[in-house]
Amino acid sequence: MNNQGRDMKIFTANANPKLAREMASILGLPIGESEVKTFSDGEIAVNIGESVRGFDVFVVQSTSAPVNNHLMELLIMIDAFKRASAGRITAVVPYFGYSRQDRKSKARDPISAKLVADMISAAGADRILTMDLHSPQIQGFFGIPVDDLQGISILAPHFKSRFENNLNNIICVSPDLGSVTRARNFSERVGTGLAIIDKRRQKANVSEIMNIIGDVKDKTVIIVDDMIDTAGTLCNAAAAVIERGGAKEVYAAATHGVLSGLAVERIQNSHLKEVFLLDTIDVPEEKKKACSKLRFISVASVFAQAVERIYTDKPISPLFN
């Protein structure tokens, strides 16, 4: 690493500066000199303050809220590096926005995830490093290599260590049928049973709990999902396992803390005891203070290892375990 550090540079825009600094510190590198600002009319301007000619450039930027601003920051930074003759550009996107718009659910729907993938490629990125895409097929939307890290590789060891003396009374729950594979992988890593909540969605961001498949009575439940947005699904699931299933207590684990709308208030007033999130999204301090149940686990080490492996042309797959 030290022999090749001069050939690598890490930059950040405005979405994840803290995470980028932690990654750079782990790798023993400074953050690249850059400025990303917004003019009074809303246009985004980028200035790269040092040479990147021939360098392996990694730009860290989640496309989280405000989604469109952060996406444009990423695109313009990539374009700047491309025009400055960077040797290779890797977009490190811990949270990939628009990932839920990955298919046509009704006539004349766009597939926005594919559009965003095309925009990132067209801007000049050579590679994407991300975590827990909402659906695996999004990797196929890109014409460049995509490394999709797994959040459960960080979350599962945490819960296994926490409940190692009581695993027989722990059960992992999928909040809907779409998250079964993720919940099953989580339960296998922790060494617990699995239950599923059958959910019927009436309209966007509104869901109704219909049935619990599996026995959660008198058990500690861990609800596993890839993201928590408005927290409606999560809080309904927590209520179901307590009130209908007879669970003893309920926790939640998710990769991305989108936490939009009334999410923080819902979590604070829910049956959930604690909610563990990875810091792929930089959640504002006021939201953290408003909810005493939120806990955050850093992804900096895993992303730093992935960056080093990409830089040295080593496989990423060992990080999945």
Side-chain angles (χ1 to χ4, degrees):
M1 178 64 197
N2 291 333
N3 293 332
Q4 299 178 346
R6 64 183 183 276
D7 297 326
M8 182 207 300
K9 291 189 177 183
I10 296 178
F11 291 84
T12 182
N14 294 323
N16 298 77
K18 180 181 177 183
L19 175 60
R21 288 193 295 268
E22 290 177 357
M23 290 170 55
S25 176
I26 292 170
L27 292 167
L29 298 171
I31 285 288
E33 185 180 341
S34 64
E35 182 182 17
V36 182
K37 60 183 180 180
T38 303
F39 291 128
S40 58
D41 66 350
E43 289 186 5
I44 292 167
V46 169
N47 178 50
I48 308 301
E50 58 187 271
S51 174
V52 295
R53 184 178 296 273
F55 278 78
D56 210 342
V57 170
F58 295 83
V59 53
V60 182
Q61 176 81 340
S62 281
T63 51
S64 52
V67 180
N68 298 327
N69 279 18
H70 286 160
L71 175 58
M72 283 303 300
E73 289 179 6
L74 175 62
L75 296 175
I76 295 172
M77 286 196 81
I78 292 172
D79 181 73
F81 294 131
K82 193 73 173 180
R83 295 177 186 276
S85 302
R88 181 172 62 172
I89 304 167
T90 299
V92 182
V93 189
Y95 169 70
F96 184 78
Y98 285 100
S99 63
R100 285 171 284 182
Q101 299 184 47
D102 60 341
R103 63 192 181 279
K104 293 183 68 170
S105 57
K106 61 182 184 297
R108 294 173 295 281
D109 270 359
I111 304 180
S112 303
K114 175 64 167 73
L115 173 61
V116 172
D118 288 343
M119 292 168 67
I120 293 174
S121 298
D126 298 296
R127 192 180 196 100
I128 303 293
L129 174 62
T130 186
M131 177 172 277
D132 274 352
L133 290 170
H134 188 62
S135 53
Q137 67 264 25
I138 293 176
Q139 294 184 63
F141 292 175
F142 290 89
I144 56 178
V146 177
D147 294 303
D148 185 19
L149 302 176
Q150 298 179 5
I152 60 172
S153 66
I154 303 173
L155 290 165
H158 171 83
F159 279 93
K160 185 173 183 178
S161 174
R162 178 166 183 160
F163 296 111
E164 61 181 349
N165 297 322
N166 193 34
L167 289 178
N168 290 334
N169 294 318
I170 307 296
I171 188 165
C172 177
V173 170
S174 172
D176 53 38
L177 296 176
S179 298
V180 171
T181 300
R182 180 178 294 101
R184 182 186 298 117
N185 291 339
F186 184 95
S187 68
E188 290 174 352
R189 288 171 181 257
V190 177
T192 69
L194 176 67
I196 302 168
I197 292 178
D198 177 26
K199 176 191 70 177
R200 181 175 301 171
R201 185 177 294 278
Q202 305 298 322
K203 58 183 179 179
N205 293 329
V206 177
S207 62
E208 179 182 355
I209 301 301
M210 301 300 293
N211 192 30
I212 301 173
I213 305 171
D215 183 16
V216 300
K217 186 174 177 58
D218 297 327
K219 293 188 177 181
T220 295
V221 167
I222 305 171
I223 300 175
V224 181
D225 211 345
D226 65 323
M227 69 176 69
I228 300 174
D229 187 356
T230 63
T233 294
L234 174 64
C235 293
N236 286 342
V241 297
I242 294 290
E243 297 172 4
R244 302 185 190 182
K248 177 183 177 183
E249 57 184 1
V250 56
Y251 295 80
T255 302
H256 309 299
V258 180
L259 302 178
S260 67
L262 298 175
V264 169
E265 181 181 345
R266 285 176 178 148
I267 292 171
Q268 184 65 27
N269 297 326
S270 71
H271 290 280
L272 291 158
K273 190 168 184 180
E274 290 180 305
V275 176
F276 289 84
L277 299 166
L278 302 184
D279 62 351
T280 56
I281 294 174
D282 189 8
V283 176
E285 285 299 323
E286 55 267 25
K287 288 189 176 182
K288 294 180 180 179
K289 292 178 181 179
C291 185
S292 61
K293 299 180 180 181
L294 296 178
R295 306 287 183 268
F296 292 89
I297 302 174
S298 176
V299 296
S301 177
V302 171
F303 271 96
Q305 292 178 64
V307 165
E308 183 173 4
R309 285 179 172 274
I310 290 171
Y311 173 58
T312 55
D313 294 321
K314 294 180 180 177
I316 300 293
S317 54
L319 298 180
F320 295 159
N321 298 318

